[in-house]
Every structure is written in structure tokens, then in C-alpha cells.
Amino acid sequence: MSETGSDRKLALFLEAIREAAEESCRTVEEQTAQITRRQLQKAEKEVHDRHEVTYHNALSQVRRKADSEIAAYRAASRSRLTQLREAYERTVFSDAAARIEAFTRTAEYAALLERSAARLAALCPEGDGTAVLYLRPADEGYADRVRAAFRAVRPAGCTVRTDEGIRLGGLRLSCPAAQLTADDTLEERLEHERPAFRQTSGLTVV
């Protein structure tokens, strides 16, 4: 059967409709794909941003923890070094005090007291008779020699008294008229050595 003009028109019309539908489908698919891509990119960015924040937060926490642990370790090390230095220092100075105590039982100690009395006398004004020299009770037997050594420099002389606060030996001066005091005791001399000891021992804590 031959195709009529109406049939051809209908076929062409249907073809045009089909092509238009296919074009619409392609457009919808492309728009859908674009929207999907945008949404996926947005989602990926959000996930990446969250991961970045999580990563940086975790890194910051690790750094803070490491800094805290390092600071604690350094503080503990300084504390330990301080304890070791103090223990070593006590041992050294305790041994030094024992050696000084042994020295005070020798004949050279009396000469040391005389030299100390002469040095202290030189600090007092001429003609001042108010000076007082203090020595430890164990050294009371040296009082006359100390007094004579002082008078050889300052003829006005001095008073000699004992002082239980002097433990190792040596002399302490009080000159009221001149408002003067001076400490030449052996414990003061020993204590004066502590800064130099800490410096040269290499145990200074910083």
C-alpha cells in the first residue's frame, strides 16, 4: 500500500517529536551531570576541608604534647642536676670543713689568727679603744696572742670575747665607734669559695 501524504507528514512529525525528546533528554542528562559534578566537587571540598582541619588540629595537639613533654623533661633534668650539684657541693664543702677543723689543731693556726687580728686592726681608726674581736670558745686559749697582734697595729688595743656562732675558727671584728664590722672567720672564707666552686666545677644549672 502506497504511503499517503498524510502518513508522510505524520511520520515526519513523529520524527521531529522524537528528535526533540532526545535533545531534551541529552540536555537534561548534561544538566544533571553538571549538577552532580558540582555537588560532588562541593562534597569533596567539604570532606577535604574537614580532613585538613582534623589534620591540623591533630598536628597542633601532637606539637603541644611534644612541647609539654620536652619542657617537663628539661625541668626534670634541671631539677636532677640541681640535686646532684647540691649533693656534690655538700660533700666537697663538708670535707673542706673537716680539713679546716684539722688545721685548727696545728701550730700554723695560731699564726693565722695573729695575721687575721693584724688585718682587722688596720680597719679600725687610730686611738679607738672600742674594738672587740670575737673567736670561737675552743680558741679562747689564743686570746692573749690575738690581743697582742691587734695592739701591735692599733696600740689602743681591743677586747677579746668568745662567740659560739663561730664554728670553724677565725675572727670577727666589731668596732662600735666607727660603726664597723668585719668577718674573717674560716666559715666565711669557705662560704666565699662557693661561687668559684660552682663555676669551675661545671655544675652551674642554667
Side-chain angles (χ1 to χ4, degrees):
M1 181 166 48
S2 63
E3 187 178 34
T4 65
S6 297
D7 291 336
R8 284 196 300 274
K9 289 180 179 179
L10 178 60
L12 292 172
F13 179 72
L14 293 175
E15 180 68 20
I17 292 175
R18 186 171 56 254
E19 289 177 355
E22 290 176 353
E23 179 66 24
S24 296
C25 287
R26 283 194 297 272
T27 301
V28 169
E29 288 176 356
E30 289 176 0
Q31 291 176 345
T32 302
Q34 291 176 359
I35 293 172
T36 301
R37 282 196 299 271
R38 286 197 298 268
Q39 290 178 339
L40 182 59
Q41 290 171 351
K42 180 181 179 181
E44 289 177 345
K45 185 177 185 304
E46 290 177 351
V47 171
H48 178 268
D49 290 345
R50 284 198 300 272
H51 285 174
E52 281 291 305
V53 171
T54 301
Y55 168 75
H56 286 298
N57 287 343
L59 184 60
S60 297
Q61 291 176 356
V62 169
R63 285 175 175 168
R64 285 195 298 270
K65 183 179 180 182
D67 290 343
S68 177
E69 290 177 350
I70 290 172
Y73 174 77
R74 287 176 175 171
S77 297
R78 285 195 297 270
S79 176
R80 179 57 177 161
L81 180 57
T82 298
Q83 293 173 359
L84 291 173
R85 187 203 69 189
E86 290 175 349
Y88 178 54
E89 186 175 304
R90 283 194 299 271
T91 299
V92 169
F93 278 79
S94 177
D95 181 63
R99 291 173 181 270
I100 290 173
E101 177 64 28
F103 168 73
T104 62
R105 295 192 293 270
T106 67
E108 288 82 0
Y109 177 58
L112 179 142
L113 289 177
E114 290 174 337
R115 290 194 299 273
S116 177
R119 283 195 303 272
L120 294 172
L123 301 176
C124 297
E126 292 280 0
D128 176 27
T130 66
V132 180
L133 284 181
Y134 296 92
L135 42 67
R136 63 178 183 166
D139 295 339
E140 192 172 8
Y142 298 116
D144 290 341
R145 297 180 64 169
V146 166
R147 192 179 293 109
F150 188 97
R151 187 177 292 113
V153 178
R154 290 290 184 264
C158 67
T159 302
V160 178
R161 297 174 184 168
T162 60
D163 181 353
E164 293 183 357
I166 301 176
R167 298 176 295 101
L168 294 180
L171 300 173
R172 184 180 293 121
L173 169 70
S174 173
C175 190
Q179 297 183 335
L180 171 69
T181 60
D183 193 335
D184 197 29
T185 59
L186 297 184
E187 49 259 47
E188 178 63 21
R189 293 192 192 185
L190 181 61
E191 191 63 27
H192 187 70
E193 295 299 319
R194 283 186 187 273
F197 167 79
R198 291 169 182 169
Q199 192 70 28
T200 58
S201 68
L203 293 177
T204 301
V205 180
V206 295

